[in-house]
Amino acid sequence: MNKFYKAICAIGIVCGLYGCSDWDDHYNGTNTSGGNNLTLWQQLKSEQQLSDFCEVLEETKIFRQHKKTPVSYAELLDGGQSFTVVAPVNGTFNKDSLLQLVQTAQGDSVVEKFFVLNHISRKLVSIPAKSDRMLLLNKKHVEIGSNTIEGVSITKSNIYTKNGVLHIAAQPLPYERSLFEMLCDIPEFSTIGAFIRKYDEDFFDADNSVSSGIIEGVPVYVDSVIIERNRFLDRVGYINAEDSMYWFIAPTKIAWQQAYDEAAKYFVYDKKVAKRDSIQQYWAHRALIDDAVFNMTDQLSVNDSLTSVQYVRRNVTNNKPIYHVFKKPFEAGGILSQATPVDASNGVLYKVNLWPFTPEQTYFRPIWSEAENMYYVTEDKLCSYNSRRIAGDSISDGGYLQIIPEKATSNWEMTFRLDNTLSGHYDICAIVLPRTITHKDQEFNPCKFKATVNYVDTLGNSKTFNCGNTQFKTDPARVDTVVLAESFYLPACNYDNTELKVSVKLTCSILARENSKYSREMYLDCIYLRPRSDVSKD
């Protein structure tokens, strides 16, 4: 029992669930009609076969707002509140282990959640029941059969007391862990769970707390409602919620470490970034977990495709790839083809011995700096420019930037920022549209230009690369992807950082004697970074 519980942190919000305005109010309720004159606790004590269960109830204290109170569950069941209790008979659980655990606050909270609250419901339920499910005080749902609860035989049912209903069970009700609990409890997944649990926090819910007024300008509450939440799961999916249904792809420890080590190489921030190691760790985990979580209420046909929680349905207006969608997941080569399903209380954990995703499927993706978006323009010289919209299958985001020289002979300069770059190899490209998209019956000269890549190294020092001092020439008759720097390595990540650290400067480079051969006007679709995973990062 101790081994099973040792990884679980203390939780205890039982009394907070009752929503009363004062502690004493938790022990004032209405009697259950039709019962005998005994309380639930008195009835439990009268059953000799339940003496072990009673002893645990006497020794287990109620937690409120993560603090151990002096009130035991024996006292709670002897009060005025109404409950349904499913009591396991003697000899079917390790009473001594439970009693040993309750000697410490953390152990007490473990026994409370995993054992005591797993046998008590706020709802009054008789057998056979009107509903086939019952909600327990630890928020777990159990299935009710003709004479069973969660598959456990009920040896004596429907013992009515003045404050509830008692059912005697042949053994304890099984505790089915949630996906989050499985990640935390099972050793081969615990590395993932340990990271996520760092983001657990308590949130004070002022709207649902009961105030007694303001004293010296400070609100005072007689009943404070504290909500447990996890900031990490707020962003990737509520795999800790019992009323949800998720799938989670969980690699074993070795597979996870291999996948994490690879991802971490792409999130190396320069030394001028505050808390760079923590940020790297956070985004490397997000890079893996973002596409490992699937909300099953959003799926249309799981055999055809799965969409992770990061997927947002949208109308596709260009030829950019769609991410967070995984076709034929159970077929050969699919992300779940080698996975072993393990049922959880709120979904299914799919155990894998090898991470089924590639960086290109998930986090190492192309980057587009759309030229028509003025946000990306950081500097311009000797030119004017206009944002234009136009439909076309080969036009990124349906727009482009028209760059016009200030004078017919002006060699202009324009600099475009690149955001959310990773530390990896990219082909850095400029996609230039032919001017025939607006003047179909005319012929135009190409544009000639140079390019400079501005970036920072891992120390945070500014660096420049002149792209080999190459003179690039556009194709005036087609959409032209001009590779400015092939397999260029950006050593420092700039993901989720608004500071300008990576940019590309284009400089028109037409000599006076070349005026008749080239044009200084350009239709720039975007600056495009194409990932190169075929180049080693080591």
Side-chain angles (χ1 to χ4, degrees), residues 376-381 383 385 413-416 505:
Y376 292 110
V377 179
T378 63
E379 188 177 6
D380 64 277
K381 292 181 181 179
C383 65
Y385 50 91
E413 291 183 1
M414 290 203 71
T415 303
F416 301 88
K505 181 172 70 173

Side-chain angles (χ1 to χ4, degrees), residues 40-54:
L40 276 166
W41 173 245
Q42 291 167 342
Q43 184 66 49
L44 285 163
K45 289 288 287 184
S46 72
E47 302 280 350
Q48 291 299 316
Q49 60 184 330
L50 302 179
S51 60
D52 287 355
F53 186 64
C54 289

Side-chain angles (χ1 to χ4, degrees), residues 61-102:
K61 306 300 183 182
I62 294 171
F63 271 71
R64 190 166 186 257
Q65 297 175 18
H66 299 285
K67 295 180 180 178
K68 191 173 183 176
T69 74
V71 181
S72 72
Y73 277 90
E75 295 171 274
L76 178 65
L77 297 178
D78 201 30
Q81 295 183 77
S82 298
F83 301 98
T84 295
V85 176
V86 182
V89 297
N90 293 347
T92 60
F93 57 92
N94 193 328
K95 177 192 71 172
D96 293 337
S97 293
L98 296 176
L99 294 177
Q100 183 179 3
L101 276 172
V102 299

Side-chain angles (χ1 to χ4, degrees), residues 286-495:
R286 281 288 303 272
L288 301 178
I289 296 175
D290 271 358
D291 281 312
V293 184
F294 303 85
N295 187 339
M296 300 316 295
T297 61
D298 296 337
Q299 308 302 322
L300 299 178
S301 176
V302 297
N303 290 322
D304 292 331
S305 65
L306 280 174
T307 57
S308 74
V309 291
Q310 302 302 324
Y311 174 73
V312 177
R313 291 182 175 86
R314 60 183 175 85
N315 294 323
V316 180
T317 58
N318 52 56
N319 59 350
K320 292 181 181 178
I322 299 175
Y323 290 93
H324 315 301
V325 179
F326 304 94
K327 303 291 186 181
K328 306 295 183 183
F330 294 101
E331 295 186 8
I335 58 173
L336 297 178
S337 61
Q338 301 296 319
T340 302
V342 183
D343 287 336
S345 64
N346 61 345
V348 181
L349 181 144
Y350 281 91
K351 173 183 173 181
V352 293
N353 294 315
L354 184 66
W355 190 238
F357 305 98
T358 65
E360 296 75 29
Q361 284 179 299
T362 51
Y363 53 87
F364 191 37
R365 303 198 293 263
I367 296 172
W368 286 268
S369 285
E370 296 295 339
E372 70 275 10
N373 186 339
M374 301 301 183
Y375 163 79
Y376 292 110
V377 179
T378 63
E379 188 177 6
D380 64 277
K381 292 181 181 179
L382 301 177
C383 65
S384 61
Y385 50 91
N386 302 297
S387 179
R388 303 296 190 192
R389 307 300 304 181
I390 189 170
D393 292 340
S394 58
I395 299 174
S396 174
D397 272 3
Y400 65 94
L401 191 71
Q402 179 187 22
I403 304 173
I404 306 168
E406 188 176 88
K407 298 177 182 179
T409 57
S410 297
N411 280 334
W412 48 264
E413 291 183 1
M414 290 203 71
T415 303
F416 301 88
R417 67 182 297 142
L418 296 171
D419 293 336
N420 293 319
T421 55
L422 302 187
S423 46
H425 290 87
Y426 294 92
D427 289 339
I428 300 179
C429 311
I431 299 180
V432 183
L433 304 179
R435 292 169 62 190
T436 53
I437 62 172
T438 56
H439 301 80
K440 297 185 181 301
D441 299 325
Q442 298 184 36
E443 293 185 2
F444 296 93
N445 291 328
C447 182
K448 189 171 74 165
F449 65 95
K450 291 184 177 182
T452 302
V453 179
N454 306 300
Y455 64 102
V456 297
D457 61 17
T458 54
L459 297 177
N461 299 323
S462 296
K463 300 289 184 180
T464 61
F465 175 63
N466 68 0
C467 299
N469 204 31
T470 303
Q471 299 277 355
F472 299 102
K473 301 173 185 178
T474 64
D475 188 330
R478 65 180 181 87
V479 176
D480 193 8
T481 299
V482 182
V483 179
L484 310 176
E486 185 176 1
S487 190
F488 185 77
Y489 182 61
L490 293 175
C493 166
N494 197 41
Y495 191 80

